[in-house]
mmCIF file of all heavy atoms in Angstrom:
data_model
loop_
_atom_site.group_PDB
_atom_site.id
_atom_site.type_symbol
_atom_site.label_atom_id
_atom_site.label_comp_id
_atom_site.label_asym_id
_atom_site.label_seq_id
_atom_site.Cartn_x
_atom_site.Cartn_y
_atom_site.Cartn_z
ATOM 1 N N GLY A 275 -17.120 8.315 6.077
ATOM 2 C CA GLY A 275 -17.287 7.775 4.727
ATOM 3 C C GLY A 275 -17.080 8.791 3.626
ATOM 4 O O GLY A 275 -16.494 8.484 2.577
ATOM 5 N N ALA A 276 -17.542 10.015 3.836
ATOM 6 C CA ALA A 276 -17.394 11.045 2.805
ATOM 7 C C ALA A 276 -15.920 11.340 2.530
ATOM 8 O O ALA A 276 -15.513 11.516 1.372
ATOM 9 C CB ALA A 276 -18.122 12.317 3.233
ATOM 10 N N LEU A 277 -15.113 11.388 3.575
ATOM 11 C CA LEU A 277 -13.687 11.628 3.381
ATOM 12 C C LEU A 277 -13.028 10.456 2.654
ATOM 13 O O LEU A 277 -12.160 10.647 1.804
ATOM 14 C CB LEU A 277 -13.007 11.871 4.728
ATOM 15 C CG LEU A 277 -11.503 12.176 4.667
ATOM 16 C CD1 LEU A 277 -11.238 13.442 3.862
ATOM 17 C CD2 LEU A 277 -10.919 12.314 6.070
ATOM 18 N N LEU A 278 -13.450 9.245 2.982
ATOM 19 C CA LEU A 278 -12.895 8.061 2.327
ATOM 20 C C LEU A 278 -13.131 8.115 0.819
ATOM 21 O O LEU A 278 -12.283 7.687 0.033
ATOM 22 C CB LEU A 278 -13.521 6.794 2.912
ATOM 23 C CG LEU A 278 -13.078 5.460 2.292
ATOM 24 C CD1 LEU A 278 -11.595 5.227 2.524
ATOM 25 C CD2 LEU A 278 -13.887 4.304 2.865
ATOM 26 N N ARG A 279 -14.281 8.655 0.419
ATOM 27 C CA ARG A 279 -14.620 8.720 -1.008
ATOM 28 C C ARG A 279 -14.056 9.960 -1.693
ATOM 29 O O ARG A 279 -14.215 10.129 -2.904
ATOM 30 C CB ARG A 279 -16.145 8.698 -1.174
ATOM 31 C CG ARG A 279 -16.793 7.399 -0.735
ATOM 32 C CD ARG A 279 -18.273 7.370 -1.091
ATOM 33 N NE ARG A 279 -19.018 8.407 -0.370
ATOM 34 C CZ ARG A 279 -19.574 8.244 0.816
ATOM 35 N NH1 ARG A 279 -19.438 7.086 1.448
ATOM 36 N NH2 ARG A 279 -20.238 9.229 1.402
ATOM 37 N N SER A 280 -13.383 10.805 -0.951
ATOM 38 C CA SER A 280 -12.876 12.050 -1.525
ATOM 39 C C SER A 280 -11.643 11.790 -2.392
ATOM 40 O O SER A 280 -10.963 10.773 -2.255
ATOM 41 C CB SER A 280 -12.525 13.042 -0.414
ATOM 42 O OG SER A 280 -11.327 12.648 0.240
ATOM 43 N N ALA A 281 -11.339 12.760 -3.258
ATOM 44 C CA ALA A 281 -10.196 12.644 -4.160
ATOM 45 C C ALA A 281 -8.859 12.753 -3.434
ATOM 46 O O ALA A 281 -7.812 12.536 -4.043
ATOM 47 C CB ALA A 281 -10.279 13.719 -5.240
ATOM 48 N N GLN A 282 -8.896 13.102 -2.153
ATOM 49 C CA GLN A 282 -7.681 13.166 -1.360
ATOM 50 C C GLN A 282 -7.328 11.832 -0.712
ATOM 51 O O GLN A 282 -6.237 11.682 -0.160
ATOM 52 C CB GLN A 282 -7.809 14.238 -0.271
ATOM 53 C CG GLN A 282 -7.941 15.664 -0.794
ATOM 54 C CD GLN A 282 -6.664 16.175 -1.425
ATOM 55 O OE1 GLN A 282 -6.375 15.867 -2.588
ATOM 56 N NE2 GLN A 282 -5.883 16.928 -0.676
ATOM 57 N N VAL A 283 -8.259 10.871 -0.758
ATOM 58 C CA VAL A 283 -8.041 9.600 -0.070
ATOM 59 C C VAL A 283 -8.040 8.401 -1.016
ATOM 60 O O VAL A 283 -7.096 7.611 -1.019
ATOM 61 C CB VAL A 283 -9.102 9.392 1.041
ATOM 62 C CG1 VAL A 283 -8.996 7.992 1.640
ATOM 63 C CG2 VAL A 283 -8.923 10.439 2.133
ATOM 64 N N TRP A 284 -9.098 8.250 -1.811
ATOM 65 C CA TRP A 284 -9.207 6.997 -2.553
ATOM 66 C C TRP A 284 -8.084 6.754 -3.565
ATOM 67 O O TRP A 284 -7.684 5.602 -3.767
ATOM 68 C CB TRP A 284 -10.583 6.862 -3.217
ATOM 69 C CG TRP A 284 -10.889 7.819 -4.339
ATOM 70 C CD1 TRP A 284 -11.626 8.956 -4.278
ATOM 71 C CD2 TRP A 284 -10.462 7.696 -5.706
ATOM 72 N NE1 TRP A 284 -11.695 9.566 -5.507
ATOM 73 C CE2 TRP A 284 -10.995 8.813 -6.409
ATOM 74 C CE3 TRP A 284 -9.705 6.769 -6.404
ATOM 75 C CZ2 TRP A 284 -10.769 9.022 -7.763
ATOM 76 C CZ3 TRP A 284 -9.481 6.977 -7.761
ATOM 77 C CH2 TRP A 284 -10.017 8.089 -8.433
ATOM 78 N N PRO A 285 -7.488 7.791 -4.224
ATOM 79 C CA PRO A 285 -6.361 7.469 -5.105
ATOM 80 C C PRO A 285 -5.174 6.877 -4.346
ATOM 81 O O PRO A 285 -4.496 5.973 -4.843
ATOM 82 C CB PRO A 285 -6.006 8.832 -5.725
ATOM 83 C CG PRO A 285 -7.254 9.637 -5.633
ATOM 84 C CD PRO A 285 -7.871 9.219 -4.328
ATOM 85 N N GLY A 286 -4.921 7.382 -3.126
ATOM 86 C CA GLY A 286 -3.822 6.839 -2.334
ATOM 87 C C GLY A 286 -4.061 5.399 -1.945
ATOM 88 O O GLY A 286 -3.149 4.558 -2.019
ATOM 89 N N LEU A 287 -5.279 5.086 -1.537
ATOM 90 C CA LEU A 287 -5.598 3.700 -1.201
ATOM 91 C C LEU A 287 -5.550 2.815 -2.447
ATOM 92 O O LEU A 287 -5.201 1.637 -2.364
ATOM 93 C CB LEU A 287 -6.973 3.631 -0.540
ATOM 94 C CG LEU A 287 -7.070 4.297 0.841
ATOM 95 C CD1 LEU A 287 -8.482 4.150 1.404
ATOM 96 C CD2 LEU A 287 -6.044 3.707 1.810
ATOM 97 N N GLY A 288 -5.873 3.398 -3.606
ATOM 98 C CA GLY A 288 -5.736 2.647 -4.851
ATOM 99 C C GLY A 288 -4.293 2.292 -5.148
ATOM 100 O O GLY A 288 -3.994 1.190 -5.627
ATOM 101 N N ILE A 289 -3.374 3.217 -4.846
ATOM 102 C CA ILE A 289 -1.951 2.940 -5.033
ATOM 103 C C ILE A 289 -1.489 1.843 -4.071
ATOM 104 O O ILE A 289 -0.688 0.973 -4.443
ATOM 105 C CB ILE A 289 -1.134 4.232 -4.852
ATOM 106 C CG1 ILE A 289 -1.399 5.177 -6.038
ATOM 107 C CG2 ILE A 289 0.364 3.932 -4.729
ATOM 108 C CD1 ILE A 289 -0.760 6.536 -5.906
ATOM 109 N N VAL A 290 -2.003 1.864 -2.841
ATOM 110 C CA VAL A 290 -1.679 0.793 -1.890
ATOM 111 C C VAL A 290 -2.163 -0.551 -2.437
ATOM 112 O O VAL A 290 -1.442 -1.560 -2.366
ATOM 113 C CB VAL A 290 -2.303 1.079 -0.513
ATOM 114 C CG1 VAL A 290 -2.143 -0.135 0.408
ATOM 115 C CG2 VAL A 290 -1.664 2.302 0.124
ATOM 116 N N LEU A 291 -3.371 -0.577 -2.987
ATOM 117 C CA LEU A 291 -3.899 -1.821 -3.561
ATOM 118 C C LEU A 291 -3.022 -2.297 -4.712
ATOM 119 O O LEU A 291 -2.721 -3.500 -4.827
ATOM 120 C CB LEU A 291 -5.330 -1.604 -4.040
ATOM 121 C CG LEU A 291 -5.993 -2.815 -4.721
ATOM 122 C CD1 LEU A 291 -6.043 -4.007 -3.770
ATOM 123 C CD2 LEU A 291 -7.388 -2.447 -5.219
ATOM 124 N N PHE A 292 -2.608 -1.378 -5.567
ATOM 125 C CA PHE A 292 -1.686 -1.742 -6.650
ATOM 126 C C PHE A 292 -0.418 -2.375 -6.094
ATOM 127 O O PHE A 292 0.072 -3.390 -6.605
ATOM 128 C CB PHE A 292 -1.333 -0.499 -7.475
ATOM 129 C CG PHE A 292 -0.087 -0.661 -8.308
ATOM 130 C CD1 PHE A 292 -0.131 -1.344 -9.506
ATOM 131 C CD2 PHE A 292 1.139 -0.144 -7.871
ATOM 132 C CE1 PHE A 292 1.025 -1.512 -10.274
ATOM 133 C CE2 PHE A 292 2.287 -0.309 -8.626
ATOM 134 C CZ PHE A 292 2.233 -0.996 -9.834
ATOM 135 N N TRP A 293 0.118 -1.770 -5.030
ATOM 136 C CA TRP A 293 1.359 -2.278 -4.437
ATOM 137 C C TRP A 293 1.160 -3.668 -3.839
ATOM 138 O O TRP A 293 2.041 -4.517 -3.924
ATOM 139 C CB TRP A 293 1.848 -1.306 -3.379
ATOM 140 C CG TRP A 293 3.239 -1.597 -2.902
ATOM 141 C CD1 TRP A 293 3.610 -2.165 -1.727
ATOM 142 C CD2 TRP A 293 4.452 -1.353 -3.613
ATOM 143 N NE1 TRP A 293 4.964 -2.281 -1.639
ATOM 144 C CE2 TRP A 293 5.512 -1.792 -2.792
ATOM 145 C CE3 TRP A 293 4.738 -0.800 -4.854
ATOM 146 C CZ2 TRP A 293 6.843 -1.694 -3.187
ATOM 147 C CZ3 TRP A 293 6.069 -0.700 -5.239
ATOM 148 C CH2 TRP A 293 7.101 -1.149 -4.408
ATOM 149 N N VAL A 294 0.001 -3.904 -3.245
ATOM 150 C CA VAL A 294 -0.301 -5.226 -2.692
ATOM 151 C C VAL A 294 -0.321 -6.269 -3.810
ATOM 152 O O VAL A 294 0.258 -7.364 -3.677
ATOM 153 C CB VAL A 294 -1.657 -5.204 -1.948
ATOM 154 C CG1 VAL A 294 -2.116 -6.625 -1.621
ATOM 155 C CG2 VAL A 294 -1.545 -4.375 -0.671
ATOM 156 N N LEU A 295 -0.978 -5.945 -4.912
ATOM 157 C CA LEU A 295 -1.052 -6.885 -6.036
ATOM 158 C C LEU A 295 0.334 -7.122 -6.634
ATOM 159 O O LEU A 295 0.693 -8.264 -6.960
ATOM 160 C CB LEU A 295 -2.003 -6.344 -7.101
ATOM 161 C CG LEU A 295 -3.472 -6.224 -6.682
ATOM 162 C CD1 LEU A 295 -4.287 -5.562 -7.782
ATOM 163 C CD2 LEU A 295 -4.052 -7.586 -6.331
ATOM 164 N N TYR A 296 1.116 -6.062 -6.762
ATOM 165 C CA TYR A 296 2.468 -6.204 -7.303
ATOM 166 C C TYR A 296 3.332 -7.079 -6.395
ATOM 167 O O TYR A 296 4.014 -8.004 -6.863
ATOM 168 C CB TYR A 296 3.107 -4.823 -7.465
ATOM 169 C CG TYR A 296 4.602 -4.878 -7.672
ATOM 170 C CD1 TYR A 296 5.145 -5.196 -8.906
ATOM 171 C CD2 TYR A 296 5.480 -4.651 -6.598
ATOM 172 C CE1 TYR A 296 6.516 -5.272 -9.092
ATOM 173 C CE2 TYR A 296 6.848 -4.717 -6.777
ATOM 174 C CZ TYR A 296 7.372 -5.030 -8.023
ATOM 175 O OH TYR A 296 8.726 -5.123 -8.191
ATOM 176 N N THR A 297 3.334 -6.775 -5.115
ATOM 177 C CA THR A 297 4.159 -7.527 -4.174
ATOM 178 C C THR A 297 3.780 -8.999 -4.159
ATOM 179 O O THR A 297 4.648 -9.889 -4.098
ATOM 180 C CB THR A 297 4.018 -6.931 -2.758
ATOM 181 O OG1 THR A 297 4.470 -5.573 -2.775
ATOM 182 C CG2 THR A 297 4.829 -7.711 -1.739
ATOM 183 N N THR A 298 2.491 -9.273 -4.220
ATOM 184 C CA THR A 298 2.029 -10.655 -4.258
ATOM 185 C C THR A 298 2.489 -11.345 -5.531
ATOM 186 O O THR A 298 2.951 -12.495 -5.502
ATOM 187 C CB THR A 298 0.501 -10.708 -4.150
ATOM 188 O OG1 THR A 298 0.082 -10.018 -2.969
ATOM 189 C CG2 THR A 298 0.000 -12.148 -4.093
ATOM 190 N N ALA A 299 2.405 -10.647 -6.664
ATOM 191 C CA ALA A 299 2.744 -11.247 -7.952
ATOM 192 C C ALA A 299 4.234 -11.542 -8.085
ATOM 193 O O ALA A 299 4.608 -12.543 -8.717
ATOM 194 C CB ALA A 299 2.297 -10.321 -9.086
ATOM 195 N N VAL A 300 5.087 -10.709 -7.491
ATOM 196 C CA VAL A 300 6.533 -10.954 -7.611
ATOM 197 C C VAL A 300 7.032 -11.959 -6.579
ATOM 198 O O VAL A 300 8.214 -12.321 -6.583
ATOM 199 C CB VAL A 300 7.349 -9.657 -7.512
ATOM 200 C CG1 VAL A 300 6.983 -8.710 -8.635
ATOM 201 C CG2 VAL A 300 7.181 -8.992 -6.157
ATOM 202 N N GLY A 301 6.152 -12.394 -5.672
ATOM 203 C CA GLY A 301 6.538 -13.443 -4.736
ATOM 204 C C GLY A 301 6.889 -12.988 -3.343
ATOM 205 O O GLY A 301 7.329 -13.787 -2.516
ATOM 206 N N GLY A 302 6.708 -11.677 -3.068
ATOM 207 C CA GLY A 302 7.072 -11.204 -1.737
ATOM 208 C C GLY A 302 8.576 -11.176 -1.557
ATOM 209 O O GLY A 302 9.331 -10.950 -2.501
ATOM 210 N N ASP A 303 9.014 -11.455 -0.346
ATOM 211 C CA ASP A 303 10.422 -11.309 -0.009
ATOM 212 C C ASP A 303 10.773 -12.362 1.039
ATOM 213 O O ASP A 303 9.936 -12.749 1.857
ATOM 214 C CB ASP A 303 10.665 -9.902 0.544
ATOM 215 C CG ASP A 303 12.132 -9.577 0.720
ATOM 216 O OD1 ASP A 303 12.945 -10.116 -0.038
ATOM 217 O OD2 ASP A 303 12.460 -8.784 1.613
ATOM 218 N N MET A 304 12.015 -12.814 1.029
ATOM 219 C CA MET A 304 12.437 -13.804 2.024
ATOM 220 C C MET A 304 13.357 -13.196 3.084
ATOM 221 O O MET A 304 13.934 -13.917 3.887
ATOM 222 C CB MET A 304 13.154 -14.979 1.345
ATOM 223 C CG MET A 304 14.445 -14.637 0.653
ATOM 224 S SD MET A 304 15.365 -16.094 0.088
ATOM 225 C CE MET A 304 15.877 -16.824 1.649
ATOM 226 N N LEU A 305 13.484 -11.881 3.118
ATOM 227 C CA LEU A 305 14.440 -11.232 4.011
ATOM 228 C C LEU A 305 13.861 -10.838 5.366
ATOM 229 O O LEU A 305 14.575 -10.341 6.209
ATOM 230 C CB LEU A 305 15.050 -10.009 3.322
ATOM 231 C CG LEU A 305 15.794 -10.303 2.017
ATOM 232 C CD1 LEU A 305 16.379 -9.027 1.435
ATOM 233 C CD2 LEU A 305 16.887 -11.342 2.225
ATOM 234 N N GLY A 306 12.573 -11.010 5.573
ATOM 235 C CA GLY A 306 11.998 -10.777 6.894
ATOM 236 C C GLY A 306 11.450 -9.389 7.108
ATOM 237 O O GLY A 306 11.880 -8.410 6.507
ATOM 238 N N MET A 307 10.459 -9.282 7.974
ATOM 239 C CA MET A 307 9.856 -8.032 8.436
ATOM 240 C C MET A 307 9.270 -7.180 7.307
ATOM 241 O O MET A 307 9.343 -5.952 7.330
ATOM 242 C CB MET A 307 10.836 -7.211 9.264
ATOM 243 C CG MET A 307 11.092 -7.779 10.649
ATOM 244 S SD MET A 307 9.605 -8.154 11.628
ATOM 245 C CE MET A 307 8.911 -6.538 11.870
ATOM 246 N N PHE A 308 8.672 -7.851 6.319
ATOM 247 C CA PHE A 308 7.824 -7.177 5.332
ATOM 248 C C PHE A 308 8.513 -6.002 4.643
ATOM 249 O O PHE A 308 7.933 -4.931 4.477
ATOM 250 C CB PHE A 308 6.525 -6.702 6.003
ATOM 251 C CG PHE A 308 5.767 -7.794 6.697
ATOM 252 C CD1 PHE A 308 5.719 -7.837 8.084
ATOM 253 C CD2 PHE A 308 5.120 -8.774 5.983
ATOM 254 C CE1 PHE A 308 5.026 -8.850 8.747
ATOM 255 C CE2 PHE A 308 4.419 -9.793 6.633
ATOM 256 C CZ PHE A 308 4.370 -9.824 8.011
ATOM 257 N N ARG A 309 9.741 -6.224 4.192
ATOM 258 C CA ARG A 309 10.501 -5.148 3.550
ATOM 259 C C ARG A 309 9.736 -4.509 2.388
ATOM 260 O O ARG A 309 9.747 -3.288 2.223
ATOM 261 C CB ARG A 309 11.837 -5.683 3.034
ATOM 262 C CG ARG A 309 12.661 -4.673 2.242
ATOM 263 C CD ARG A 309 14.020 -5.225 1.889
ATOM 264 N NE ARG A 309 13.943 -6.328 0.952
ATOM 265 C CZ ARG A 309 14.428 -6.295 -0.295
ATOM 266 N NH1 ARG A 309 14.997 -5.198 -0.738
ATOM 267 N NH2 ARG A 309 14.358 -7.355 -1.083
ATOM 268 N N PHE A 310 9.087 -5.342 1.570
ATOM 269 C CA PHE A 310 8.433 -4.797 0.390
ATOM 270 C C PHE A 310 7.264 -3.878 0.729
ATOM 271 O O PHE A 310 6.879 -3.039 -0.093
ATOM 272 C CB PHE A 310 7.938 -5.937 -0.504
ATOM 273 C CG PHE A 310 9.001 -6.483 -1.428
ATOM 274 C CD1 PHE A 310 10.339 -6.223 -1.206
ATOM 275 C CD2 PHE A 310 8.663 -7.268 -2.512
ATOM 276 C CE1 PHE A 310 11.314 -6.719 -2.043
ATOM 277 C CE2 PHE A 310 9.626 -7.770 -3.361
ATOM 278 C CZ PHE A 310 10.964 -7.508 -3.129
ATOM 279 N N TYR A 311 6.686 -4.022 1.921
ATOM 280 C CA TYR A 311 5.525 -3.203 2.268
ATOM 281 C C TYR A 311 5.901 -1.924 3.020
ATOM 282 O O TYR A 311 5.042 -1.072 3.251
ATOM 283 C CB TYR A 311 4.538 -4.024 3.096
ATOM 284 C CG TYR A 311 3.675 -4.915 2.240
ATOM 285 C CD1 TYR A 311 3.794 -6.302 2.296
ATOM 286 C CD2 TYR A 311 2.764 -4.381 1.346
ATOM 287 C CE1 TYR A 311 3.018 -7.126 1.498
ATOM 288 C CE2 TYR A 311 1.984 -5.191 0.536
ATOM 289 C CZ TYR A 311 2.119 -6.564 0.616
ATOM 290 O OH TYR A 311 1.344 -7.364 -0.189
ATOM 291 N N VAL A 312 7.157 -1.777 3.388
ATOM 292 C CA VAL A 312 7.560 -0.592 4.154
ATOM 293 C C VAL A 312 7.229 0.713 3.436
ATOM 294 O O VAL A 312 6.692 1.644 4.059
ATOM 295 C CB VAL A 312 9.058 -0.669 4.499
ATOM 296 C CG1 VAL A 312 9.560 0.659 5.078
ATOM 297 C CG2 VAL A 312 9.310 -1.798 5.504
ATOM 298 N N PRO A 313 7.514 0.864 2.137
ATOM 299 C CA PRO A 313 7.291 2.175 1.501
ATOM 300 C C PRO A 313 5.859 2.682 1.564
ATOM 301 O O PRO A 313 5.638 3.903 1.623
ATOM 302 C CB PRO A 313 7.732 1.932 0.043
ATOM 303 C CG PRO A 313 8.717 0.812 0.126
ATOM 304 C CD PRO A 313 8.186 -0.072 1.213
ATOM 305 N N VAL A 314 4.862 1.790 1.550
ATOM 306 C CA VAL A 314 3.469 2.256 1.550
ATOM 307 C C VAL A 314 2.875 2.322 2.945
ATOM 308 O O VAL A 314 1.743 2.795 3.105
ATOM 309 C CB VAL A 314 2.580 1.362 0.658
ATOM 310 C CG1 VAL A 314 3.053 1.408 -0.787
ATOM 311 C CG2 VAL A 314 2.519 -0.074 1.164
ATOM 312 N N LEU A 315 3.594 1.889 3.947
ATOM 313 C CA LEU A 315 3.040 1.907 5.303
ATOM 314 C C LEU A 315 2.771 3.322 5.818
ATOM 315 O O LEU A 315 1.741 3.540 6.472
ATOM 316 C CB LEU A 315 3.947 1.137 6.258
ATOM 317 C CG LEU A 315 3.653 -0.370 6.303
ATOM 318 C CD1 LEU A 315 4.801 -1.143 6.925
ATOM 319 C CD2 LEU A 315 2.357 -0.639 7.051
ATOM 320 N N PRO A 316 3.625 4.325 5.564
ATOM 321 C CA PRO A 316 3.252 5.684 5.989
ATOM 322 C C PRO A 316 1.958 6.155 5.345
ATOM 323 O O PRO A 316 1.138 6.816 6.000
ATOM 324 C CB PRO A 316 4.447 6.532 5.534
ATOM 325 C CG PRO A 316 5.590 5.583 5.467
ATOM 326 C CD PRO A 316 4.986 4.289 5.010
ATOM 327 N N LEU A 317 1.761 5.833 4.078
ATOM 328 C CA LEU A 317 0.534 6.214 3.386
ATOM 329 C C LEU A 317 -0.666 5.538 4.035
ATOM 330 O O LEU A 317 -1.688 6.179 4.302
ATOM 331 C CB LEU A 317 0.656 5.832 1.911
ATOM 332 C CG LEU A 317 -0.359 6.399 0.911
ATOM 333 C CD1 LEU A 317 0.206 6.321 -0.512
ATOM 334 C CD2 LEU A 317 -1.682 5.661 0.962
ATOM 335 N N LEU A 318 -0.520 4.265 4.319
ATOM 336 C CA LEU A 318 -1.638 3.494 4.871
ATOM 337 C C LEU A 318 -1.975 3.937 6.292
ATOM 338 O O LEU A 318 -3.142 4.209 6.613
ATOM 339 C CB LEU A 318 -1.274 2.007 4.844
ATOM 340 C CG LEU A 318 -2.380 1.007 5.134
ATOM 341 C CD1 LEU A 318 -3.551 1.178 4.182
ATOM 342 C CD2 LEU A 318 -1.837 -0.417 5.034
ATOM 343 N N THR A 319 -0.970 4.035 7.155
ATOM 344 C CA THR A 319 -1.241 4.398 8.549
ATOM 345 C C THR A 319 -1.762 5.828 8.668
ATOM 346 O O THR A 319 -2.696 6.089 9.435
ATOM 347 C CB THR A 319 0.026 4.243 9.409
ATOM 348 O OG1 THR A 319 1.090 5.026 8.850
ATOM 349 C CG2 THR A 319 0.473 2.787 9.475
ATOM 350 N N SER A 320 -1.190 6.756 7.915
ATOM 351 C CA SER A 320 -1.609 8.152 8.032
ATOM 352 C C SER A 320 -3.003 8.380 7.463
ATOM 353 O O SER A 320 -3.759 9.223 7.967
ATOM 354 C CB SER A 320 -0.601 9.063 7.329
ATOM 355 O OG SER A 320 0.656 8.991 7.966
ATOM 356 N N THR A 321 -3.363 7.649 6.418
ATOM 357 C CA THR A 321 -4.722 7.763 5.888
ATOM 358 C C THR A 321 -5.741 7.293 6.916
ATOM 359 O O THR A 321 -6.789 7.928 7.109
ATOM 360 C CB THR A 321 -4.855 6.945 4.595
ATOM 361 O OG1 THR A 321 -3.955 7.474 3.605
ATOM 362 C CG2 THR A 321 -6.275 7.008 4.054
ATOM 363 N N VAL A 322 -5.436 6.203 7.584
ATOM 364 C CA VAL A 322 -6.336 5.709 8.634
ATOM 365 C C VAL A 322 -6.448 6.739 9.759
ATOM 366 O O VAL A 322 -7.546 7.000 10.273
ATOM 367 C CB VAL A 322 -5.846 4.347 9.169
ATOM 368 C CG1 VAL A 322 -6.611 3.957 10.430
ATOM 369 C CG2 VAL A 322 -6.009 3.284 8.102
#
């Protein structure tokens, strides 16, 4: 928990949250396999 609350983690997860809201608002994508979420997946998986 302490690492999750650190300045090295929570800003990155905040950017992921921003990207989720943006992707949802623009309607996602119809091209398959979650293209719009690919750029933030390294951030998300590596933070975990």
Side-chain angles (χ1 to χ4, degrees):
L277 182 61
L278 178 64
R279 294 187 296 271
S280 74
Q282 295 290 81
V283 173
W284 68 260
L287 293 181
I289 290 174
V290 171
L291 178 60
F292 161 79
W293 191 256
V294 168
L295 295 175
Y296 165 79
T297 299
T298 305
V300 298
D303 189 30
M304 64 171 291
L305 301 181
M307 287 309 295
F308 305 109
R309 175 174 67 115
F310 276 17
Y311 279 113
V312 170
V314 298
L315 273 163
L317 193 160
L318 191 57
T319 56
S320 296
T321 298
V322 169

